Amino acid sequence: MATDADAPAVALRDLGRAYGERVALSGVTLELPRGATLAVFGANGAGKTTLLRVLATLLRPHAGSAAVLGRELPREGWAVRGRVGLLAHEPLLYRDLSARENLRFHARLHGVADGRAEELLDAVGMARRADEPIRALSRGMTQRVAICRAVLHQPELLLLDEPLANLDPGAAAGVAPLIGRASGVARVLISHDVELGLAEADMVLGLRGGQPEILEPAAAISPDDLKGLYR
Amino acid sequence: MAAVVRKDVLVELRTGEMVPAMLLFSVSTFVLFHFALDRRSVEGDLAAGVLWVTLLFAAVLGIVRLFVAEREQGGFDGFLLAPVDRTALFVAKATVLFCFLAAVELAAIPAFAILLLGPSPWDALPELLVVLVLADLGVAVVGTLVGALGVQTRTRELIVPILALPLMIPLVIAAARATSPLLVEGATGGIEGRWLLVLGLYDLVFGLLAFAVFDFLLED
């Protein structure tokens, strides 16, 4: 009998999603194996963030089917929550709480020990500033805390929207073990940095106007192939 | 649930965005009534009406802000990504609102007694506390439901009072009728049981309703 562990990390068939009359995503069909990375490229409004939010169970699919970690969405969304880590544009952190308080809050929601929060703060070099409110931190520091929040519960699938935004090279290297290829978990990665995104990817999805224009193994794609998506 | 309550109390202690505003509004309204009614003091029906209308409007200020951090700082998404029952958010937010209302009343009722009330309310304090607890429960339940609905809209400052005030009319009637005999000189009669029953039923009915529909308010 097939179990969740045998199922691909993501399996989409003709996935579609609309906001009112406007179709944000349509006809996306793909399968992402466990441990692999899908890089998603496309201009603003191409449907990248919508795809991420559907996979995170925050938006319902309106057409086709979506399965995450072997569970059908939205019917079995309850079984997916707590197994995916979302790093979105917004850090999902309370500005008036400190980094430590935010992480401890999320640790309690996910049933994770406080020690894990301390371990992560240390790993991203934020232990010294952990008691300052988020509103007092720079964007890069806030991003580092948001990365800690996203991986706090050791998710099986990481959904990353521009994860290195605002990070200096040192900070980017510091978070690589948590959200990079070294993390070993399946990843869906949105990036506008074509070279960096390709270097991280096993599979590439290029979206234009909500529709898939490119779906190829990363090895078969060159940066020039992707630049057309932004014209 | 405890994590959300603890977080909200911590944020409120740090920012003071809700309780001080609600308290200031209550005291200012009592001062306004003091001059507008042109009386040295009020008692009975009038006192109960002034007290409950003021507390209700103060509560609306808190309800408007109850889910703002969740909406504007991604708290809804953070909560929805966690493997927890969505109704836990409802119970937590209702608990927070109840606690904030109690904190406001702790200072607003003595202020009401000093600024407006003729008879001393202290003899009837145990009965008054029962009414306050039952009425605050109702405000917390309906307020949490309406707050979650209103925060999804761009005009939450308008939507929340428009929805909350009509829904709370039965609660204010019952609370004022139950309180009225407690705010007269030499009150001995105590509370009419039927008004406590109305308050209890109101809490139960809206509690069940909120429990049934809150999940849908969090759906996209």
Side-chain angles (χ1 to χ4, degrees):
Chain A
M1 195 178 100
T3 64
D4 278 9
D6 303 324
V10 175
L12 309 177
R13 179 173 292 276
D14 280 329
L15 178 71
R17 166 75 203 197
Y19 297 105
E21 295 290 299
R22 191 176 69 80
V23 176
L25 201 63
S26 73
V28 181
T29 299
L30 62 86
E31 199 169 291
L32 179 71
R34 299 273 179 151
T37 298
L38 170 73
V40 186
F41 299 98
N44 296 332
K48 307 182 297 296
T49 301
T50 299
L51 174 64
L52 227 57
R53 290 181 67 81
V54 169
L55 298 179
T57 75
L58 295 174
L59 290 178
R60 287 168 167 265
H62 286 165
S65 68
V68 172
L69 303 169
R71 301 298 188 127
E72 284 293 324
L73 302 182
R75 193 168 49 86
E76 296 182 299
W78 56 270
V80 175
R81 288 178 205 120
R83 296 171 65 197
V84 297
L86 174 68
L87 183 64
H89 276 295
E90 295 297 322
L92 312 189
L93 300 168
Y94 294 97
R95 289 193 288 268
D96 294 301
L97 296 185
S98 69
R100 179 169 281 126
E101 287 163 344
N102 266 292
L103 293 185
R104 286 186 174 180
F105 169 66
H106 284 281
R108 284 183 193 116
L109 287 185
H110 286 272
V112 172
D114 286 351
R116 169 77 176 153
E118 300 302 325
E119 180 189 309
L120 288 170
L121 285 167
D122 206 35
V124 300
M126 283 298 296
R128 212 165 48 83
R129 305 282 301 267
D131 290 319
E132 293 181 31
I134 294 297
R135 63 181 149 71
L137 301 179
S138 69
R139 283 187 182 192
M141 287 175 174
T142 303
Q143 183 74 352
R144 280 192 263 168
V145 180
I147 288 169
C148 295
R149 178 199 51 72
V151 302
L152 192 64
H153 51 294
Q154 295 175 306
E156 296 163 56
L157 171 66
L158 279 172
L159 306 170
L160 308 168
D161 195 346
E162 293 286 353
L164 303 183
N166 306 308
L167 295 184
D168 61 53
V175 301
L178 302 176
I179 58 168
R181 195 179 281 280
S183 66
V185 300
R187 297 179 300 159
V188 177
L189 167 70
I190 292 177
S191 177
H192 288 301
D193 185 332
V194 170
E195 279 80 10
L196 182 92
L198 266 183
E200 289 280 315
D202 299 299
M203 194 190 293
V204 171
L205 171 66
L207 292 171
R208 188 198 289 275
Q211 301 225 328
E213 192 165 289
I214 298 170
L215 182 60
E216 298 279 354
I221 294 283
S222 76
D224 286 339
D225 297 331
L226 294 169
K227 282 175 184 160
L229 292 170
Y230 297 91
R231 288 192 198 110
Chain B
M1 188 195 103
V4 177
V5 174
R6 191 174 175 279
K7 182 269 295 174
D8 275 7
V9 171
L10 201 58
V11 170
E12 178 60 19
L13 286 173
R14 207 154 285 169
T15 62
E17 281 183 352
M18 283 170 67
V19 174
M22 290 158 75
L23 180 59
L24 195 62
F25 174 87
S26 302
V27 175
S28 307
T29 308
F30 293 144
V31 171
L32 283 173
F33 270 120
H34 178 81
F35 291 110
L37 293 172
D38 198 20
R39 294 175 184 216
R40 289 173 62 86
S41 64
V42 293
E43 64 173 294
D45 292 346
L46 184 58
V50 166
L51 176 66
W52 281 107
V53 168
T54 303
L55 290 178
L56 186 66
F57 279 107
V60 168
L61 289 184
I63 295 166
V64 168
R65 294 212 58 83
L66 191 62
F67 286 98
V68 169
E70 264 57 52
R71 179 73 177 172
E72 293 179 352
Q73 297 172 40
F76 277 130
D77 285 354
F79 187 86
L80 294 178
L81 287 166
V84 287
D85 192 335
R86 293 172 178 198
T87 44
L89 183 63
F90 169 76
V91 177
K93 285 292 185 177
T95 304
V96 167
L97 185 56
F98 181 87
C99 293
F100 288 178
L101 287 169
V104 168
E105 285 157 0
L106 208 61
I109 296 210
F112 174 65
I114 293 165
L115 289 166
L116 270 172
L117 192 59
S120 164
W122 309 122
D123 295 339
L125 195 59
E127 291 97 329
L128 186 59
L129 279 176
V130 172
V131 180
L132 283 168
V133 167
L134 286 173
D136 286 354
L137 265 177
V139 173
V141 166
V142 173
T144 304
L145 193 61
V146 170
L149 192 66
V151 82
Q152 313 284 353
T153 69
R154 277 178 297 173
T155 53
R156 64 170 177 266
E157 289 84 359
L158 291 174
I159 293 290
V160 166
I162 285 170
L163 290 177
L165 294 175
L167 285 174
M168 290 184 193
I169 289 172
L171 182 130
V172 171
I173 293 171
R177 295 286 170 86
T179 312
S180 172
L182 307 174
L183 304 180
V184 292
E185 200 67 61
T188 53
I191 313 172
E192 278 186 60
R194 64 180 168 145
W195 294 118
L196 291 185
L197 190 66
V198 171
L199 284 172
L201 277 174
Y202 181 95
D203 296 350
L204 183 69
V205 168
F206 276 95
L208 290 172
L209 184 74
F211 200 74
V213 304
F214 190 75
D215 243 25
F216 298 104
L217 295 182
L218 299 185
E219 290 286 345
D220 74 284

